[in-house]
């Protein structure tokens, strides 16, 4: 295998080859196996491609899959957020049971920076430093202005559907002054909590605390955090004419372009990152031995979709800080072990 191919996972028609990695990136048998952080740092890259209010796409290059997966798992399970943990029900005459209602309320994303609040334990008393309080007081009534024979519950009744917009933040202590420029509330106002009918009501107090997704999914700041390896498409022999058009159709739009050289149509790979690696091109005999598919082993295309409580770029920043903290802890533990070993001899 050529040196340039060692870092490529080969995609064949009926199998995948060269899937096994080395103990750390860019390290292969027959070479110097000593760990060199400086060499890895030179190859490391983090390139941001797209950022929106809720989504982010970036490339992580030059690291092992273990590092990439650690970052993904931290984003899902260890970046803290605020979520409804305790529901004190005074009245619930709707059809949804108390426990189910409390669970639905807990899954509503809360717009608040968890770094502004302290961690709480089972025996800790709620204060303005560790707790956000919401109220939910809704009563369903008949709409006196509804037309006779109206069948739409939204027009026939008032408060027939209870949405997250009904949650009212009740500032405690100096929270009103502290968060006057960044009001605390729900991320989305149109999350359906339950439905009521005339005479039914819900009255409760909700306490939000700081937590992580490892404890409960409601604390996870991401809807999805995923990565895939960068696809590679290598044309080994010119594909021209109508074959070039057929070749282009084997890939998603934007992956392959048709260029004209000396009056002849020719297929050209322009953006392999858009490829889904469907292997469709490998099913056609006319392309046999003319194209090679693969994936770069240490080039990860990340996509973060935030639930809205924390911007996606902030999720990445906090996850990197947590990962660096873990590395420092391991480094300190290794140093302590080395000192203990030298003293015991």
């Amino acid at each position: 295998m050529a040196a340039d191919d060692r870092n490529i996972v080969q995609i064949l028609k009926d199998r995948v080859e060269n899937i096994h990695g080395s103990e750390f990136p860019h390290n292969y048998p027959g070479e110097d196996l000593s760990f060199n952080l400086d060499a890895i740092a030179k190859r490391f890259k983090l390139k941001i491609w797209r950022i929106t209010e809720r989504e982010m796409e970036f490339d992580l290059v030059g690291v092992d899959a273990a590092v990439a997966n650690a970052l993904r798992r931290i984003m899902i399970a260890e970046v803290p957020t605020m979520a409804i943990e305790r529901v004190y029900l005074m009245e619930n005459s709707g059809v949804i049971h108390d426990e189910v209602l409390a669970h639905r309320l807990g899954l509503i994303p809360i717009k608040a920076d968890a770094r502004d609040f302290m961690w709480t334990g089972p025996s800790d008393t709620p204060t303005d430093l560790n707790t956000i309080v919401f109220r939910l007081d809704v009563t369903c009534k008949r709409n006196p202005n509804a037309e006779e024979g109206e069948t739409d519950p939204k027009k026939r009744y008032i408060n027939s559907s209870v949405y997250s917009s009904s949650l009212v933040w009740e500032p405690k202590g100096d929270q009103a002054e502290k968060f006057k420029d960044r009001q605390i509330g729900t991320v989305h106002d149109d999350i359906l909590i339950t439905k009521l009918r005339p005479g039914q009501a819900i009255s409760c107090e909700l306490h939000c605390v700081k937590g992580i997704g490892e404890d409960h999914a409601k604390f996870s700041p991401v809807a999805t955090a995923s990565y895939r390896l960068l696809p590679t498409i290598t044309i080994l022999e010119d594909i021209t004419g109508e074959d070039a058009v057929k070749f282009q159709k084997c890939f998603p739009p934007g992956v392959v372009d048709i260029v004209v050289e000396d009056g002849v149509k020719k297929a050209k790979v322009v953006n392999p990152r858009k490829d889904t690696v469907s292997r469709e091109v490998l099913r056609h005999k006319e392309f046999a031995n003319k194209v090679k598919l693969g994936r770069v082993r240490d080039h990860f295309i990340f996509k973060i979709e935030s639930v809205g409580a924390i911007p996606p770029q902030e999720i990445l920043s906090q996850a990197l800080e947590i990962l660096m903290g873990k590395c420092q802890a391991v480094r300190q533990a290794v140093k302590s072990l080395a000192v203990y070993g030298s003293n015991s001899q």
Side-chain angles (χ1 to χ4, degrees), residues 189-248:
D189 292 334
D190 57 351
I191 299 176
L192 181 63
I193 299 173
T194 186
K195 292 188 176 183
L196 302 176
R197 286 300 179 262
Q200 296 179 347
I202 295 176
S203 178
C204 59
E205 182 174 288
L206 318 171
H207 287 194
C208 303
V209 300
K210 185 175 181 177
I212 57 176
E214 183 179 346
D215 296 329
H216 196 287
K218 66 185 178 184
F219 290 110
S220 181
V222 298
T224 58
S226 61
Y227 63 78
R228 60 190 177 95
L229 295 179
L230 175 70
T232 62
I233 305 168
T234 305
I235 297 178
L236 305 175
E237 183 180 330
D238 286 351
I239 300 174
T240 59
E242 292 305 311
D243 282 352
V245 177
K246 185 175 182 179
F247 182 83
Q248 183 186 40

Side-chain angles (χ1 to χ4, degrees), residues 123-192:
S123 59
D124 289 343
T125 302
T127 69
D128 58 309
L129 299 177
N130 59 29
T131 304
I132 300 173
V133 178
F134 285 91
R135 288 286 305 186
L136 177 60
D137 291 297
V138 181
T139 301
C140 182
K141 301 177 182 178
R142 294 185 182 276
N143 186 359
N145 300 321
E147 296 182 3
E148 186 176 351
E150 179 63 63
T151 58
D152 186 352
K154 293 183 179 179
K155 298 178 180 179
R156 188 177 181 183
Y157 310 123
I158 299 174
N159 293 330
S160 63
S161 296
V162 182
Y163 294 96
S164 54
S165 57
S166 298
L167 270 65
V168 179
W169 174 43
E170 289 191 344
K172 303 297 181 181
D174 65 347
Q175 289 181 349
E177 177 65 22
K178 185 177 180 180
F179 301 108
K180 64 179 181 180
D181 296 329
R182 41 198 175 103
Q183 289 290 308
I184 291 174
T186 57
V187 173
H188 307 283
D189 292 334
D190 57 351
I191 299 176
L192 181 63

